[in-house]
Amino acid sequence: MCPHILRYITTAVVISKRRRDGIKELIKVLQQESYKDPITEFVESLYVNFDFDEAQAKLKECKTVIENDFFIVGCLEEFTENARLIISEIFCRIHQRIEIDMLADNLNMEPAEAEKWVVNMIRLAHLDAKIDSKNGYVVMGGTSVPVYQKLIDKTKDLHLKANSCCQKIDKKLTLGI
């Protein structure tokens, strides 16, 4: 594959409404390839490094790159909106409580505009969050399952499957197959 095509694939994934479908595959490809530009580095800074400051810097560079690229110049506004949405969605999933003023600074918005943005993001991303307008915070829901419980759930039937495999092997050995 031509490495510069990664710019267009990355742009398509960022502006896609079903980005979750392609982001894992895109990240694998981006990590394997040596091609780098602000658009691919933006995605890597968010999904691989979780570096929000770098992502903001790359987003500013992305604007220049997209403005100068004939094939994706028409996607600039949509790319910027979705990129902001991705940044804030990942940021909200990582943190429990976020100051709206700080989020506004990170998204280069006014606090009132950022609050509207957060309301829209919560609705679109189906996040469990509440906005405390009085104190200027977004409070994320804390209903996540503990890691040890996830491990128990995933390995719950492991011993039954192992016993079943052992019985099948014993049966085949006794039958001489």
Side-chain angles (χ1 to χ4, degrees):
M1 174 165 77
C2 299
H4 63 278
I5 298 294
L6 285 174
R7 172 188 294 178
Y8 304 117
I9 293 171
T10 305
T11 302
V13 169
V14 169
I15 64 174
S16 171
K17 299 295 180 204
R18 290 189 255 153
R19 119 180 81 265
R20 286 185 181 93
D21 296 341
I23 197 68
K24 289 180 184 177
E25 292 298 320
L26 176 64
I27 290 169
K28 287 178 190 175
V29 172
L30 290 177
Q31 289 177 326
Q32 291 172 357
E33 296 292 329
S34 61
Y35 176 78
K36 303 283 183 216
D37 76 359
I39 296 172
T40 59
E41 289 174 341
F42 167 76
V43 170
E44 281 188 35
S45 65
L46 277 178
Y47 287 100
V48 177
N49 304 329
F50 297 101
D51 186 345
F52 297 100
D53 294 331
E54 181 184 350
Q56 283 297 330
K58 293 299 175 187
L59 183 56
K60 289 177 184 174
E61 291 177 32
C62 286
K63 182 180 179 188
T64 305
V65 169
I66 292 172
E67 285 174 340
N68 294 315
D69 190 311
F70 175 78
F71 297 107
I72 55 177
V73 69
C75 302
L76 177 61
E77 201 170 301
E78 189 175 6
F79 182 90
T80 305
E81 285 296 312
N82 283 345
R84 283 180 173 173
L85 184 64
I86 293 168
I87 291 170
S88 52
E89 183 180 328
I90 292 173
F91 193 82
C92 287
R93 289 187 192 277
I94 292 174
H95 296 86
Q96 287 275 218
R97 193 171 100 164
I98 304 152
E99 287 184 48
I100 292 176
D101 290 339
M102 185 204 45
L103 194 60
D105 289 341
N106 285 339
L107 297 173
N108 300 322
M109 298 176 154
E110 293 296 318
E113 185 183 1
E115 189 171 341
K116 290 177 188 174
W117 174 266
V118 170
V119 169
N120 190 36
M121 179 200 53
I122 290 169
R123 186 173 42 83
L124 291 175
H126 304 292
L127 296 174
D128 180 20
K130 293 180 176 75
I131 297 177
D132 182 358
S133 296
K134 181 177 163 186
N135 296 323
Y137 286 103
V138 177
V139 181
M140 303 306 296
T143 60
S144 64
V145 177
V147 175
Y148 66 87
Q149 186 62 44
K150 288 180 185 177
L151 183 64
I152 290 170
D153 291 343
K154 287 191 178 206
T155 59
K156 188 185 331 183
D157 296 326
L158 194 58
H159 71 283
L160 295 174
K161 291 177 184 176
N163 284 338
S164 174
C165 286
C166 287
Q167 288 174 354
K168 287 179 182 179
I169 291 171
D170 286 342
K171 189 176 185 179
K172 289 193 182 224
L173 287 175
T174 57
L175 294 174
I177 297 176

